[in-house]
Amino acid sequence: MKKTILSGSTVTGDLTLGNYIGAINTWTQLQDEYDCLYFLADLHALTVHQDPEVLRKRTHSFFAQYLALGLDPKKNIIFAQSQVPQHTELSWILTCLTPMGYLNRMTQFKEKAEKHVKNINAGLFTYPVLMAADILLYQADLVPVGEDQKQHLELCRDLVGYFENRYGKGIFKMPEPMIGKTGARIMSLQDPTKKMSKSDENDKNRISIIDDAKAIEKKFKSAATDSGSEIKYDVENKAGVSNLLTIYSVLSGKTIEQLENEYVGKMYGHLKVDLAQVVIQKLGPVKDKYDDLMKNRDYLDQLLVEGAERAEARAEATIKKVYDTVGLVRRR
Ligand code: ATP
Ligand code: LTN
């Protein structure tokens, strides 16, 4: 029996090189060996204000980017969260088991609450509970995420415990986080002490998957580097250069050490120019494929429906058991 993998990305902003390196690249490597489900977290996107038309378009755009980056809808179940209603059904039941104090400690909630002072809604607060529902519905064994999501995974695991204490064992599988070593946190190009984020207001902070060659060159050129001139991996003193080396290493397959040796005596500028080319070579064909896919929205919609149907069949098996266990009467 193959182990089950589940992961997703919120449908906000533009998918970045950080999302690719920290998440989607790993997903594509897992698709042959595991039973994989990957989804578009569009309900999670609603925790911050979304223009309805933009959100709708972005759902197609993210899906096309998943496919263009190499996720195969035949090998994986790829779907949109809102098209499988069991996510919200389980989320409510888990919400009723979650202590408020626990959610109050969540780093992402604190950060987002600070960023969206005018819209600190209850969804932003219960965001990690919906995420736990996403995972537990499919009895996932492993959840590949970037390091920033570790705390949410911990809540998910604790919720399995709370549920078992109250209702007994055997309903949910205990999921494990799967966090890559290199590239677990790609940093912002302008401020390498912050993570590269797809909903950052400043576009210069990130490389988007669908940026064209010119934009990629320009953004790397203006990336913040550190004082001194030595090209060396040292996160504490050379956060900018270290971030560039990490990106370079993941995309080229060379080790950081190899890169440091190659760039002895060279300047930051050399590294930036070369790195831009490595990224363009990787993302150029992805963008072409993406542009093609986006010309055929009907095809994308059809694939989304197929994905949702396959996901729903699995989600329903779990939610039925949960309804029975907690004493609710399931209609179907
Ligand atoms: P937002 O800016 O909207 O919060 P985000 O860029 O953090 O978005 P998510 O949707 O939260 O993206 O994350 C999708 C996946 O990408 C997660 O597994 C997350 O850990 C990973 N990820 C996001 N940003 C980075 C990054 N800078 N480096 C490595 N992995 C990342
Ligand atoms: N919160 C996640 C996206 C996400 C997710 C999930 C990831 C929503 N539900 C379930 C893994 C499993 C993020 O990366 N921001």
Side-chain angles (χ1 to χ4, degrees):
M1 271 278 275
K2 285 183 176 178
K3 285 197 168 174
T4 299
I5 296 245
L6 174 125
S7 197
S9 175
T10 44
V11 188
T12 43
D14 288 312
L15 279 173
T16 69
L17 206 51
N19 299 126
Y20 174 65
I21 293 175
I24 302 170
N25 185 29
T26 318
W27 301 355
T28 59
Q29 289 165 6
L30 298 168
Q31 61 186 349
D32 291 311
E33 258 179 78
Y34 293 90
D35 162 39
C36 301
L37 298 113
Y38 297 118
F39 70 99
L40 304 155
D42 51 359
L43 294 172
H44 277 111
L46 293 177
T47 56
V48 296
H49 282 314
Q50 300 293 335
D51 176 298
E53 220 28 71
V54 175
L55 178 59
R56 210 180 336 267
K57 277 208 190 106
R58 204 184 276 130
T59 299
H60 285 125
S61 168
F62 270 40
F63 184 51
Q65 287 178 66
Y66 277 13
L67 302 181
L69 285 167
L71 283 185
D72 183 341
K74 292 216 168 64
K75 290 184 187 161
N76 310 288
I77 300 182
I78 312 177
F79 65 100
Q81 184 186 32
S82 65
Q83 294 189 350
V84 182
Q86 287 82 353
H87 289 247
T88 36
E89 292 175 328
L90 181 56
S91 182
W92 176 253
I93 294 167
L94 297 178
T95 300
C96 297
L97 287 171
T98 310
M100 298 267 287
Y102 200 139
L103 295 179
N104 234 341
R105 293 198 299 271
M106 293 285 154
T107 313
Q108 183 178 294
F109 170 66
K110 288 192 227 162
E111 281 172 7
K112 299 241 161 167
E114 245 170 58
K115 213 166 137 190
H116 305 276
V117 259
K118 293 214 178 102
N119 182 23
I120 306 177
N121 61 71
L124 201 59
F125 191 64
T126 58
Y127 178 116
V129 184
L130 176 59
M131 179 163 165
D134 300 334
I135 297 166
L136 299 180
L137 260 185
Y138 300 97
Q139 311 289 347
D141 295 286
L142 296 163
V143 185
V145 282
E147 194 244 350
D148 60 305
Q149 296 298 314
K150 212 171 149 189
Q151 200 182 27
H152 291 166
L153 251 294
E154 215 34 67
L155 168 71
C156 177
R157 290 168 55 82
D158 285 341
L159 275 170
V160 173
Y162 301 157
F163 192 93
E164 286 180 350
N165 277 344
R166 186 147 182 169
Y167 298 109
K169 286 187 191 299
I171 302 293
F172 298 122
K173 204 175 247 177
M174 185 67 89
E176 301 281 342
M178 190 182 199
I179 296 170
K181 282 192 198 78
T182 358
R185 194 179 273 251
I186 299 298
M187 309 311 278
S188 152
L189 293 185
Q190 296 292 323
D191 177 1
T193 59
K194 271 185 6 198
K195 80 164 188 168
M196 184 182 284
S197 161
K198 62 180 152 55
S199 53
D200 199 314
E201 307 91 56
N202 185 359
D203 183 55
K204 280 186 167 173
N205 281 336
R206 63 175 160 258
I207 302 287
S208 298
I209 301 300
I210 49 178
D211 272 346
D212 59 24
K214 246 201 189 129
I216 294 173
E217 278 168 357
K218 223 165 133 191
K219 286 181 184 175
F220 276 120
K221 208 166 169 189
S222 72
T225 31
D226 323 274
S227 55
S229 60
E230 206 187 353
I231 296 179
K232 210 162 174 33
Y233 187 85
D234 174 355
V235 177
E236 238 162 67
N237 302 305
K238 286 174 171 278
V241 172
S242 303
N243 189 38
L244 298 183
L245 283 170
T246 303
I247 298 173
Y248 203 145
S249 163
V250 176
L251 294 189
S252 66
K254 294 180 185 172
T255 63
I256 302 262
E257 222 178 5
Q258 264 173 314
L259 291 169
E260 283 173 342
N261 288 334
E262 265 178 43
Y263 284 90
V264 169
K266 293 193 181 160
M267 318 239 275
Y268 291 157
H270 291 126
L271 176 71
K272 288 179 173 180
V273 169
D274 293 350
L275 174 56
Q277 290 316 309
V278 170
V279 173
I280 289 166
Q281 260 178 24
K282 173 72 211 171
L283 296 184
V286 173
K287 171 132 173 59
D288 293 344
K289 204 163 169 209
Y290 166 80
D291 288 338
D292 273 351
L293 283 163
M294 286 300 278
K295 283 183 202 137
N296 198 345
R297 300 287 176 106
D298 289 346
Y299 173 66
L300 293 177
D301 273 330
Q302 183 200 325
L303 285 181
L304 277 174
V305 170
E306 282 167 21
E309 283 171 357
R310 289 168 69 199
E312 183 161 18
R314 307 231 331 219
E316 182 56 24
T318 301
I319 199 81
K320 229 186 213 139
K321 276 197 268 176
V322 173
Y323 265 51
D324 272 355
T325 306
V326 305
L328 295 170
V329 182
R330 190 123 185 106
R331 185 163 61 86
R332 35 187 180 153

